[in-house]
Amino acid sequence: MPPIELITYSDDDFALTEALETDPDTMRHLGGPVSVESARAAHVRRLGGEHGEWWLKIVPDPGGPAAGVIGIWDSEWEGERVDEAGWMVLLEFRGRGIATQALGLLLDRARSEPRIETVHAFPNVENEASNALCRNAGFELIGKSDIEFRERPMRCNHWAIEVATSIPQSRTRPR
């Protein structure tokens, strides 16, 4: 598979967010699909200072359509500020290793950002694909937790990976 690109999320990417957030399969582990208005609110959050340049669209073929989104944002966990990662991939692009490549690139990018020491992820315990992605990317499973996501309770796994001193995976694997 050719290398993918991560491109800064922009105002032109609302259709991508709408396709992801209103899709029942994509949102199955996140409380279900949302309205177009809620997708618009997510789009605005991704553009705003809350997420800034850390929300990216995943483009598997240079110049081609986006396959999904991935990002890191400021979050709160047990009263502390943490850097949380999340991702969504359109159904037609799943199972091709795109999310694996995208997460590797995102973590490499985080390693070059001095303010990011540890990246956390909170996938639903039933989301086998996202939990496997965390495990395969080198995250450590911290434990299970009940969180509120978009005003809905969710049982999740809490994963974390230190990036301040780790070696980028793309440099440790032969190409």
Side-chain angles (χ1 to χ4, degrees):
M1 174 179 216
I4 66 165
E5 293 181 310
L6 297 182
I7 299 172
T8 302
Y9 186 88
S10 73
D11 196 40
D12 294 335
D13 296 319
F14 172 68
L16 174 62
T17 290
E18 181 180 13
L20 290 162
E21 302 254 349
T22 62
D23 178 62
D25 189 64
T26 300
M27 298 299 290
R28 153 178 63 150
H29 297 296
L30 296 171
V34 301
S35 67
V36 173
E37 294 78 24
S38 291
R40 168 98 33 217
H43 173 68
V44 169
R45 283 191 306 275
R46 289 177 184 149
L47 291 172
E50 181 181 339
H51 301 138
E53 76 268 9
W54 284 95
W55 263 108
L56 307 156
K57 65 182 171 184
I58 305 166
V59 181
D61 299 310
V69 294
I70 191 166
I72 295 176
W73 61 93
D74 288 344
S75 191
E76 186 176 309
W77 177 249
E78 297 182 343
E80 302 279 327
R81 190 202 73 76
V82 298
D83 294 296
E84 182 177 348
W87 47 85
M88 292 182 189
V89 175
L90 292 166
L91 181 61
E92 60 266 29
F93 290 98
R94 293 185 202 152
R96 298 178 12 194
I98 291 169
T100 300
Q101 284 188 48
L103 183 56
L105 289 171
L106 183 71
L107 292 174
D108 283 353
R109 185 175 175 179
R111 287 179 182 95
S112 68
E113 174 58 55
R115 76 167 185 82
I116 299 177
E117 295 180 10
T118 303
V119 175
H120 298 258
F122 298 91
N124 186 305
V125 295
E126 296 175 359
N127 189 334
E128 293 177 21
S130 283
N131 283 291
L133 185 60
C134 289
R135 185 174 35 261
N136 294 337
F139 283 73
E140 176 186 348
L141 180 60
I142 306 301
K144 294 183 185 336
S145 299
D146 293 313
I147 66 168
E148 188 172 298
F149 179 76
R150 296 186 179 168
E151 301 177 9
R152 298 176 186 174
M154 184 172 85
R155 183 82 170 150
C156 65
N157 283 324
H158 178 190
W159 297 88
I161 186 170
E162 289 189 34
V163 294
T165 59
S166 59
I167 298 169
Q169 286 185 350
S170 62
R171 295 188 196 142
T172 61
R173 290 189 203 154
R175 290 186 183 221

